Amino acid sequence: MRPLNVLSVTSEIFPIIKTGGLADVAGALPSALAAEDVTVITLVPGYPAVMRALEGSQVVHRYSGFFGGAASLLSGRAGGLDLFVIDAPHLFDRPGSPYLAPDGQDWMDNARRFAALSRAAADIGQGLAPGFVPDVVHAHDWQAGLAPLYLSLAEGPRPATVMTIHNIAFQGVFPPYLLLELGLPASTFTIDGVEYYGQIGFLKAGLQHADRITTVSPTYAREIQTREGGMGLDGLLRFRSSAVSGILNGIDDKVWDPFSDTNLAQTYDPDNLDARMANKAALQKRLGLSQDPDVMLFGIVSRLSEQKGLDLVLAGLSRLLAGGAQLALLGSGDRALEGSFQTASTVHPGQVGCFFGYDEGLAHLIQGGSDALLVPSRFEPCGLTQLCAMRYGSVPIVSRVGGLADTVIDANEMAIAAGVATGFQFGPAALCPFADAIDRARILWRDRQAWRRLQGNGMRSDVSWRRPAKQYADLYRSCLST
Ligand code: ADP
Ligand code: GLC
C-alpha cells in the first residue's frame, strides 16, 4: 500500500476549537488514518484559540495581500495534531465562536474568511508547503467548499479532492457581487460552477467540483438525494450520485472511555455497571435533581436547534417525567428553547435539571450517569452523542433518521431475542411515536436484566474510528486510481 498525504481542511477541530461534531471528526480522524498509512495535516484558521495552542510554529509562506490584509501560513502542532494555520489577524483574530459576532449574527465577512481557508488549501494542494505535497485535499463542510473549485481552476498537476457534507442545512450562500473579491472569474458563475439560485454557493461549488462526495452516514447519503432531505442540493447530488457515498462517523475511544474517564465520579466497564450509580448520584447533585437511584434518568447533550427536535421533549414532558423520572439537559443555542427548558426546570423542581452553555466534563457525566439518552432529531447526518451513549452504557432513544437509523439497533422483539438490541428508534419525529418509544424504554428499564443486556450490547459495539478510517483510506486510494 502506497503511503498517502492528505490535507484535511476544516473550520473547527477538537480539542482546540469546537461548536459541534465536525470538530470531533476533524480531531479524531488523523490519528485513526495513521494506522492506514495515511499522513494527515489539517489546515485551520488562526483563531485566537488556535494561535494560543500552536507549538513549534514555523512560517511556511508569507502572503502580502490575502483577502484584505497580510497573512502567513504557519505549520506546527497543537492538541496532538499536525496543523497548517492561516495567521491572518484581519480575518481570524476575533473572540468567541468561529462564525458568529458577539451580537449572535454571522460575521459580515464570513465569505471572505472561509474563501481564505479554501484558497490556502488550494495553494498547499499545489505545492506551497515544501515537504508536504498532498495526494488528496479533503474539504469539510461549506467553509472549505471553494477548495475543490479553486483547484479545478489551477494549472498543472493537482491533488484529488473529497468534499464531506456534515450537515447540508449549512451551505454558505453569499451575494453574487462578492465573486471578484473571492478571486473567482466571472466564468465560474454558472449552473455547473459556483452559481446557486442566483447566489454564490460555497457547498454547491465543492459538490460540483470535488472528485468524490461523502457524507457521514449511508442513510443520510440517500436522504440528501431526495427533495425532502437535500435542501435544494438534491438535484446536483442525484446528478453526481455515482460519486456520493456515506461513511459513518466514529468517536475517539480515548477521549470517550468510561474505564478511564476523569470526568466521572466512578469509572466502570460492562462487567461493572453498578458503578454507574455513583455517576447518577453525582449528576443528580450537579443539576439539582432529587437524589434518588430508583427513578429513571433521561439525559440530553445537544445543540439547541430546530434540527435536534427538542420541542418534542418539551411537548412530551409530562409523559417523560411520569413516575418521578428525571431529565438532565446540557445544551446551548436557541434562546427560546433555553427559556422553555429553564421554565420546565422551575415547574418540575428536582425532576428537570439544565445547564445552558458548553461543558465538556458535564457532557461526559451525563453519558456516564443517565439511564437513557434522548436524540429525537428531525434530521441527523450522523450524530455522535448516541455513539458516546452506547459506549457509556446510557441507552439511546433516537428518531429513525440519518446516522441515528444506521447506528442504533431498535429493541424490538426480534432484536431482543437475537441479543443485538442497543437502543430504541422511533419514527417519524413526532410526539406520539416519541412518547411510545419512551414508554417502551421505561418498561424495559424496569426489567433490570433486559436493560443490562441493552447496555452491554451498546458498550461492546465498535463505535471507534477504526472501520471508518479504513473506508476513508480506501476512498482516497480509489480516487487516485481513476
Ligand atoms: P452536531 O454536530 O449536530 O451538534 P453531533 O452529535 O455530531 O451533533 O456532535 C455533537 C458534539 O458536541 C458531541 O461531541 C457532543 O458531546 C458535543 N456537545 C453538544 N452540545 C454540547 C454542550 N453543550 N457542551 C459540551 N459538549 C456538547
Ligand atoms: C454535523 C451533524 C452531525 C454529525 C456531525 C459530524 O454537525 O449535525 O449529525 O455527527 O456533523 O459529522
Side-chain angles (χ1 to χ4, degrees):
M1 242 177 0
R2 158 162 115 74
L4 288 187
N5 284 344
V6 172
L7 179 73
S8 173
V9 189
T10 178
S11 59
E12 45 185 281
I13 191 160
F14 183 86
I16 308 163
I17 178 122
K18 163 168 164 176
T19 72
L22 166 61
D24 294 307
V25 174
L29 197 45
S31 64
L33 278 166
E36 303 296 328
D37 229 357
V38 177
T39 303
V40 180
I41 300 186
T42 307
L43 173 68
V44 288
Y47 313 116
V50 173
M51 298 308 292
R52 275 196 304 273
L54 197 63
E55 287 169 7
S57 77
Q58 293 197 333
V59 177
V60 174
H61 181 78
R62 285 187 207 283
Y63 289 99
S64 49
F66 192 63
F67 295 89
S72 305
L73 181 70
L74 309 177
S75 69
R77 275 181 72 78
L81 296 150
D82 290 317
L83 300 181
F84 287 123
V85 174
I86 307 168
D87 181 13
H90 64 294
L91 301 174
F92 302 122
D93 185 12
R94 304 177 193 181
S97 155
Y99 317 116
L100 307 177
D103 64 4
Q105 303 296 312
D106 288 350
W107 288 108
M108 296 279 283
D109 57 348
N110 272 352
R112 217 159 37 120
R113 298 172 76 226
F114 295 107
L117 176 67
S118 296
R119 182 67 262 170
D123 293 344
I124 298 169
Q126 291 174 266
L128 188 73
F132 187 79
V133 180
D135 299 292
V136 178
V137 169
H138 186 165
H140 295 276
D141 269 353
W142 73 264
Q143 292 87 351
L146 292 190
L149 172 58
Y150 286 135
L151 278 166
S152 77
L153 299 170
E155 312 228 320
R158 61 176 193 92
T161 49
V162 175
M163 179 83 232
T164 293
I165 304 168
H166 293 267
N167 192 334
I168 208 161
F170 302 107
Q171 302 187 351
V173 177
F174 300 99
Y177 61 77
L178 291 174
L179 206 62
L180 285 185
E181 195 182 315
L182 304 182
L184 292 170
S187 59
T188 61
F189 197 68
T190 60
I191 191 161
D192 51 8
V194 74
E195 189 271 339
Y196 184 55
Y197 296 107
Q199 309 269 91
I200 295 173
F202 276 39
L203 182 60
K204 149 79 198 288
L207 298 179
Q208 191 75 49
H209 294 280
D211 296 313
R212 294 282 199 283
I213 298 167
T214 73
T215 187
V216 288
S217 67
T219 294
Y220 195 59
R222 286 192 297 276
E223 289 170 349
I224 56 177
Q225 295 183 56
T226 65
R227 193 189 291 259
E228 301 73 42
M231 299 192 178
L233 287 165
D234 46 294
L236 165 54
L237 288 164
R238 280 195 301 276
F239 182 70
R240 296 221 55 205
S241 192
S242 60
V244 178
S245 60
I247 299 179
L248 273 177
N249 287 333
I251 54 172
D252 187 327
D253 52 11
K254 292 194 194 69
V255 174
W256 294 98
D257 179 8
F259 193 61
S260 66
D261 192 332
T262 52
N263 299 295
L264 300 180
Q266 177 75 58
T267 55
Y268 56 94
D269 62 31
D271 301 320
N272 178 23
L273 284 168
D274 281 339
R276 290 184 93 254
M277 294 313 284
N279 298 320
K280 187 169 183 174
L283 178 57
Q284 287 172 328
K285 183 154 181 237
R286 172 88 190 266
L287 290 182
L289 298 167
S290 311
Q291 291 282 311
D292 186 346
D294 298 322
V295 294
M296 191 166 180
L297 174 49
F298 296 96
I300 295 175
V301 179
S302 185
R303 284 189 292 117
L304 302 181
S305 80
E306 161 85 14
Q307 173 191 344
K308 301 293 179 179
L310 297 174
D311 49 305
L312 296 181
V313 177
L314 288 164
L317 199 60
S318 49
R319 189 93 163 254
L320 189 76
L321 300 179
Q326 300 178 339
L327 174 65
L329 174 133
L330 166 63
S332 66
D334 186 288
R335 286 285 142 80
L337 277 170
E338 276 190 21
S340 303
F341 279 106
Q342 183 66 57
T343 306
S345 68
T346 317
V347 174
H348 304 279
Q351 265 193 292
V352 177
C354 304
F355 181 87
F356 302 111
Y358 182 84
D359 190 323
E360 191 69 25
L362 182 55
H364 287 239
L365 186 59
I366 291 179
Q367 300 288 11
S370 60
D371 295 301
L373 190 90
L374 302 177
V375 196
S377 306
R378 294 217 153 67
F379 68 93
E380 195 61 76
C382 179
L384 299 174
T385 57
Q386 82 281 11
L387 302 180
C388 302
M390 280 159 62
R391 181 139 168 83
Y392 276 61
S394 178
V395 175
I397 301 175
V398 305
S399 51
R400 195 178 300 111
V401 292
L404 301 175
D406 293 343
T407 51
V408 174
I409 302 177
D410 182 64
N412 55 42
E413 268 177 42
M414 281 193 315
I416 291 177
V420 296
T422 56
F424 299 86
Q425 289 194 356
F426 63 91
L431 184 55
C432 284
F434 172 63
D436 287 348
I438 297 294
D439 289 347
R440 280 202 293 140
R442 201 194 308 280
I443 291 166
L444 218 62
W445 179 74
R446 290 201 197 101
D447 179 344
R448 205 178 138 84
Q449 282 210 329
W451 195 260
R452 282 283 155 97
R453 274 197 295 277
L454 283 187
Q455 292 178 294
N457 290 346
M459 292 184 81
R460 291 188 190 92
S461 303
D462 182 3
V463 292
S464 76
W465 273 105
R466 276 178 285 280
R467 195 169 15 194
K470 181 161 188 342
Q471 291 174 302
Y472 277 111
D474 289 347
L475 177 92
Y476 297 147
R477 292 199 162 90
S478 78
C479 38
L480 293 176
S481 61
T482 50

